[in-house]
Amino acid sequence: MEYLDIEHEGRTLRGVLHLPVGPAAAVPAVALCHGFGGNRAEFGYTFVRLAERLAERGVAAYRFDFAGCGDSDGDFDELTVSDQVAQVGAVLAALAAHPAVDPDRLSLMGMSLGGLTAQLAAARHPVRSLTLWAPAAAAVSMDEEAAKRRADAIAAAGYDDFGGLPVRRPFVDDAATIDAFADAAPYPGPVLLAVGTEDFVLGSELLDRYWGTYGDRLDLHVFDGVGHGFETVAARERLVELSAAFTAQHA
């Protein structure tokens, strides 16, 4: 594992690159995109475990903190999806330039808002595979009632309190410019999508839209009895193993 910092628009994105042990030949790599308010370890250290599992399979994995999160520079209040997508572009460019990485064999994965970010970035960059854990398409596809509640909260307090973290006007204004599915549709490769049956973020209507966007390229895995964070030891182990195997298969 090596520390790898990436510069993007005057900010330093801080992360770590897990490299396979073995011959010096360039290897495939995947960037791991954490969720809203998270960091490069993700819930239950699942990104650490996934990165280690990938390295065992000969795939490098880069865990990084988005701007304003974890150890990276930036102001969390300025978070927008479009900015995160641009950061992923900088990450992919840095991975492609790394001497241990094969620039033609890059992949993306993401959790929740990082999943939405990854699916949008995959449509803009040549990546081999896309892994989505409970992607938060709802963040830019809110129904009318939820959007009004958020707008009223921002008008009253300057932010919407989402699990103890502020969602501010720049995030909402940016979200209005994004279509989570039309903007993701140009990505032509395989997609693994994992979701819990009790997930409050990714409902059945959004699952239908993922099917409509990716069709038979979508490899859907439904986890019974867990919610947005895949909250059991067994579910998280299955999640990590499925994702490592899928990424390595398509690397």
Side-chain angles (χ1 to χ4, degrees):
M1 184 180 77
E2 66 177 54
Y3 289 97
L4 177 62
D5 293 345
I6 296 171
E7 299 303 314
H8 181 258
E9 296 188 354
R11 304 165 298 189
T12 299
L13 309 180
R14 295 181 171 87
V16 291
L17 180 64
H18 295 249
L19 289 167
V21 176
V27 297
V30 57
L32 312 184
C33 305
H34 67 75
F36 179 80
N39 59 57
R40 62 185 183 243
E42 254 307 338
F43 59 81
Y45 312 109
T46 45
F47 272 17
V48 179
R49 293 167 55 206
L50 176 59
E52 292 171 344
R53 203 76 58 92
L54 284 161
E56 291 171 358
R57 285 174 161 83
V59 179
Y62 182 60
R63 302 185 290 110
F64 71 100
D65 297 324
F66 279 112
C69 301
D71 295 321
S72 290
D73 295 347
D75 186 344
F76 185 81
D77 286 355
E78 297 175 356
L79 184 154
T80 68
V81 174
S82 292
D83 185 32
Q84 290 200 163
V85 172
Q87 291 172 54
V88 170
V91 165
L92 290 172
L95 288 176
H98 194 285
V101 171
D102 184 340
D104 296 321
R105 300 173 70 191
L106 302 179
S107 293
L108 285 172
M109 76 80 52
M111 164 63 195
S112 193
L113 191 68
L116 171 62
T117 301
Q119 75 188 55
L120 296 170
R124 301 184 181 189
H125 303 279
V127 296
R128 300 287 289 266
S129 71
L130 177 62
T131 300
L132 305 175
W133 294 359
V140 297
S141 303
M142 301 180 75
D143 61 35
E144 185 175 343
E145 181 180 353
K148 182 179 185 306
R149 183 203 58 75
R150 173 160 285 176
D152 290 346
I154 292 173
Y159 63 90
D160 180 25
D161 190 326
F162 186 77
L165 290 168
V167 177
R168 297 188 183 274
R169 175 57 60 186
F171 184 96
V172 174
D173 290 345
D174 176 69
T177 70
I178 296 169
D179 185 316
F181 301 100
D183 294 347
Y187 167 69
V191 182
L192 183 146
L193 174 58
V195 60
T197 56
E198 310 308 310
D199 193 341
F200 70 98
V201 172
L202 185 55
S204 59
E205 70 286 352
L206 289 178
L207 274 182
D208 289 341
R209 297 197 66 185
Y210 275 101
W211 279 117
T213 300
Y214 296 125
D216 60 7
R217 293 180 290 114
L218 184 68
D219 184 7
L220 175 64
H221 294 267
V222 177
F223 289 63
D224 290 333
V226 297
H228 194 59
F230 301 88
E231 305 88 355
T232 69
V233 171
R236 291 178 177 181
E237 170 57 26
R238 178 187 169 203
L239 183 66
V240 167
E241 183 59 27
L242 276 171
S243 301
F246 175 84
T247 303
Q249 176 187 354
H250 297 287

